[in-house]
Amino acid sequence: MTLTSRPSRTPIRLIAALAATGLTLTACSTDPNNSNSAGESNTGSAEVASEQKTQTPPSEAAGPTPRLVTTYDGGLLTLDAKTLEVLDDSKLDGFNRLNPLGDGRSLLDSTKEGFRVFDASSWTEPHGDHTHSYTTEPLLTDTVYSATKPGHVVNEGKRTLIFGDGDGSIQELDAPLASR
């Protein structure tokens, strides 16, 4: 019997652990009144339920307001990155795995139905020689990109690819989606 070694998966596990424990989200967007960060997809099809909680219009902040989003058994917690104050507790059953959507504001949560969009609702827009920052309430949207055994999300430039590990499907989404 010959033993073969395989490459270490430590970097992948480290990245996954960091993604699961929290993501700092600050980014640019062009329309502060666009509170739906889900947008449309090029080839991916999102299913949107009709009873989605609505967000209040965004308010301008004095500067970037980074947030951390983490999972626990039963939901997602959104924290103020500076104070660690809990800003939102979105209940969601099952194993939750977060992936950045690629717009610097939103995350995709791998659920049994597919990739569900979570809007951390904090972003910064460039404006000439300065920026403007905005916040509103975090929102677990009803937008779901169907996938059999949702796997991972890859962001490259203005493209976001989502992979369904159960059937080998690949969907391409527009990014940044929050700028619509």
Side-chain angles (χ1 to χ4, degrees), residues 61-118:
T65 311
R67 293 181 172 173
L68 301 172
V69 180
T70 188
T71 64
Y72 67 93
D73 185 16
L76 309 172
L77 278 180
T78 304
L79 309 169
D80 179 293
K82 294 178 183 173
T83 66
L84 299 182
E85 172 190 358
V86 175
L87 302 174
D88 182 70
D89 184 355
S90 296
K91 304 297 183 197
L92 186 62
D93 290 334
F95 173 76
N96 297 294
R97 181 177 62 200
L98 297 173
N99 297 281
L101 181 59
D103 63 2
R105 168 180 170 175
S106 307
L107 302 162
L108 292 175
D109 184 25
S110 299
T111 67
K112 62 184 176 184
E113 294 82 22
F115 294 95
R116 189 166 178 185
V117 178
F118 182 79

Side-chain angles (χ1 to χ4, degrees), residues 15-80:
I15 291 168
L18 290 173
T21 57
L23 300 170
T24 302
L25 299 171
T26 59
C28 298
S29 175
T30 58
D31 181 5
N33 294 314
N34 181 359
S35 61
N36 180 7
S37 64
E40 299 293 324
S41 69
N42 282 353
T43 58
S45 59
E47 299 170 9
V48 181
S50 59
E51 294 184 27
Q52 182 170 316
K53 177 177 114 177
T54 58
Q55 291 173 306
T56 59
S59 58
E60 191 162 359
T65 311
R67 293 181 172 173
L68 301 172
V69 180
T70 188
T71 64
Y72 67 93
D73 185 16
L76 309 172
L77 278 180
T78 304
L79 309 169
D80 179 293

Side-chain angles (χ1 to χ4, degrees), residues 19 23-25 27 36-41 46 97-109 115-120 139 141 143-145 152-162 171-180:
L23 300 170
T24 302
L25 299 171
N36 180 7
S37 64
E40 299 293 324
S41 69
R97 181 177 62 200
L98 297 173
N99 297 281
L101 181 59
D103 63 2
R105 168 180 170 175
S106 307
L107 302 162
L108 292 175
D109 184 25
F115 294 95
R116 189 166 178 185
V117 178
F118 182 79
D119 182 1
L139 177 67
T141 74
T143 301
V144 176
Y145 293 95
H152 53 282
V153 176
V154 175
N155 299 292
E156 177 63 36
K158 294 186 183 258
R159 292 174 43 166
T160 298
L161 300 176
I162 59 176
Q171 298 178 58
E172 180 180 359
L173 310 177
D174 285 336
L177 298 174
S179 64
R180 294 184 178 187

